[in-house]
Amino acid sequence: MAAAGLTGNKGWNDPPTISGMAGGSAGQTASRLSDVAPSGEGQLPNGGRNSPNENPGAGDVMCHDASESRQFILEQLNHRKEACLPRLNARHAAEMDQHLAMLQEQLSGNMLSARLEERLHKLFQALADADRTAVRTVQSEIVLNHSSEISSWMIGMKRLVHESSKMLSS
């Protein structure tokens, strides 16, 4: 009795029906995702950018070359690390130092993208300016937009930012 009532009706788990498909009937279902997806083969959404809100070049203009930026990041990293290490217990200090050593190695070896280096520059500039809102914003941008590049050094960076922020408030 229930089966007779479902004839011609769609069940909750039935595949979508495609209307207007060449050579298809009204009851034909999609067999591949490409049958229902819009065309644009080989193109990434948003023109290949990581985020729809990300506008390349807007507000990220570097006033200096990459080596100067890298040098600024390394200097700020060492300065902040030296200021924070005495405030931590031995285990946390060793972990932070180990994680940040990876970042220093990647920066020195020019292994990070220019965009990530720009964000790190902005992060350390915001720390130097004691702008906590900018620090949180840039740190979030790094995590969201550069997840394939950051490794465990971000753990050390988060602790460094946290300790630097605590030092600012005291």
Side-chain angles (χ1 to χ4, degrees):
M1 180 167 109
L6 290 178
T7 309
N9 293 334
K10 303 283 287 171
W12 67 271
N13 198 23
D14 291 338
T17 303
I18 300 173
S19 60
M21 194 162 120
S25 65
Q28 188 172 1
T29 60
S31 60
R32 297 185 325 246
L33 182 59
S34 61
D35 289 343
V36 293
S39 65
E41 298 175 32
Q43 292 181 355
L44 294 173
N46 304 318
R49 293 189 306 257
N50 291 332
S51 167
N53 298 330
E54 187 176 327
N55 185 4
D60 289 338
V61 178
M62 297 277 290
C63 299
H64 31 268
D65 66 5
S67 63
E68 288 177 6
S69 177
R70 211 171 292 120
Q71 185 64 34
F72 172 78
I73 294 167
L74 288 169
E75 287 172 1
Q76 286 291 312
L77 179 63
N78 287 326
H79 171 72
R80 300 247 171 234
K81 185 169 68 168
E82 294 304 317
C84 291
L85 284 176
R87 297 172 53 99
L88 299 171
N89 67 37
R91 192 186 103 214
H92 288 155
E95 286 176 357
M96 186 178 84
D97 195 38
Q98 178 184 6
H99 290 299
L100 293 177
M102 286 188 245
L103 174 59
Q104 289 173 314
E105 182 181 318
Q106 288 183 351
L107 275 167
S108 298
N110 198 20
M111 300 166 79
L112 301 176
S113 70
R115 191 105 168 121
L116 178 55
E117 285 185 19
E118 288 176 25
R119 303 274 168 119
L120 287 170
H121 187 276
K122 286 171 67 174
L123 177 70
F124 281 109
Q125 187 64 52
L127 278 171
D129 296 341
D131 186 353
R132 291 183 182 154
T133 305
V135 168
R136 282 192 302 270
T137 301
V138 174
Q139 190 175 9
S140 296
E141 288 174 357
I142 290 172
V143 171
L144 293 172
N145 297 327
H146 300 281
S147 60
S148 63
E149 287 185 87
I150 60 175
S151 59
S152 63
W153 59 258
M154 195 61 187
I155 296 166
M157 180 65 75
K158 285 183 177 183
R159 184 172 300 276
L160 181 74
V161 167
H162 177 72
E163 290 300 321
S164 295
S165 295
K166 280 176 38 179
M167 287 181 357
L168 290 174
S169 64
S170 59

